[in-house]
Amino acid sequence: MVAQSTKRVVLFASGSGSNVENIVHYFQERRDVTIAMVLTNKRDAKVLDRCNRLNISALYFNKTAFSKSHGVVDILKGLKPDLIVLAGFLLKIPENLLHQFPDKIINIHPALLPKYGGKGMYGKHVHAAVKANQEGETGITIHYVNEQYDEGAIIHQAKTTLLATDSVDTIAEKVHQLEFAHFPKIIDQLLQQP
Ligand code: GAR
């Protein structure tokens, strides 16, 4: 019998890691998909506690390893990822990493790009800007990562309606619910592509 090949996913996260946890749960019974490792640039990120609890390998790296040397690239080469997923990761991906893994790095952004993207637009900052502009809807964008913040080719978007009574926190909650529903499925679809 030919052994089924396992697709390997590496996740990057900078903060709480609720998307990481949701992705881990989605794939936990799947023998054809492995979450190989979670990498973080924040030594005290809550995602590290989650990884401990979930029995997922996790690694903190510093700025030198990420953007001033090949440290993170070498770790990734060893992990042989089929897909690298930025799940709440807030640093710009350096060019050497992009070139090493062309078309294999995707990001989730908590708004409907091209609106509310770019440097400084992350997490609550996005939702505060959406609220300030009295938007009637917001959403999520899953896209490939390129040299510019939030400008890579869009893979998938999903929308949610906003009410005038929504606060920044309730907008964040609505967006998280969209992320939980869509992100693992899109990762799954990308892994199935030949
Ligand atoms: C998510 O909403 C994600 O879309 C956003 O950070 C949050 C992380 O939440 N990413 C960005 O803003 C990237 N520009 P989590 O740590 O609970 O998964």
Side-chain angles (χ1 to χ4, degrees):
M1 206 174 81
V2 181
Q4 193 182 26
S5 74
T6 299
K7 300 282 186 177
R8 297 172 61 76
V9 179
V10 173
L11 303 172
F12 278 69
S14 301
S16 158
S18 67
N19 274 286
V20 165
E21 180 155 1
N22 182 55
I23 292 163
V24 168
H25 283 311
Y26 179 94
F27 288 110
Q28 66 189 357
E29 305 295 335
R30 292 274 297 272
R31 299 182 65 180
D32 58 330
V33 177
T34 300
I35 305 301
M37 194 172 283
V38 174
L39 296 176
T40 184
N41 62 311
K42 285 266 161 71
R43 201 192 296 270
D44 57 353
K46 249 175 83 181
V47 69
L48 290 170
D49 300 330
R50 290 189 200 258
C51 289
N52 252 330
R53 180 161 46 75
L54 296 163
N55 282 322
I56 297 290
S57 300
L59 197 68
Y60 157 78
F61 58 82
N62 67 15
K63 247 187 180 158
T64 305
F66 188 55
S67 49
K68 297 198 173 77
S69 74
H70 290 277
V72 169
V73 168
D74 288 344
I75 289 165
L76 286 170
K77 278 188 194 166
L79 291 169
K80 299 194 184 342
D82 294 284
L83 197 64
I84 296 169
V85 176
L86 312 186
F89 184 67
L90 304 183
L91 297 182
K92 196 167 176 188
I93 298 296
E95 278 188 21
N96 64 338
L97 209 160
L98 280 174
H99 291 152
Q100 196 64 48
F101 299 97
D103 301 323
K104 278 196 181 171
I105 311 178
I106 65 166
N107 178 47
I108 190 158
H109 187 77
L112 295 168
L113 291 174
K115 287 170 110 177
Y116 304 105
K119 197 169 173 17
M121 274 295 171
Y122 59 88
K124 289 269 169 82
H125 299 288
V126 175
H127 309 312
V130 166
K131 170 81 186 157
N133 286 340
Q134 301 176 340
E135 295 281 0
E137 62 178 20
T138 188
I140 60 166
T141 304
I142 298 165
H143 63 94
Y144 286 103
V145 174
N146 69 7
E147 285 82 357
Q148 308 304 323
Y149 265 118
D150 304 325
E151 288 186 14
I154 291 175
I155 301 163
H156 183 76
Q157 290 188 304
K159 289 180 186 176
T160 184
T161 303
L162 297 179
L163 307 172
T165 50
D166 272 317
S167 65
V168 171
D169 283 341
T170 63
I171 295 172
E173 178 56 28
K174 285 181 171 180
V175 167
H176 259 125
Q177 291 310 319
L178 278 183
E179 294 183 331
F180 297 158
H182 290 261
F183 203 16
K185 286 186 189 160
I186 297 299
I187 293 168
D188 204 358
Q189 282 171 23
L190 292 172
L191 291 172
Q192 306 312 320
Q193 284 175 10

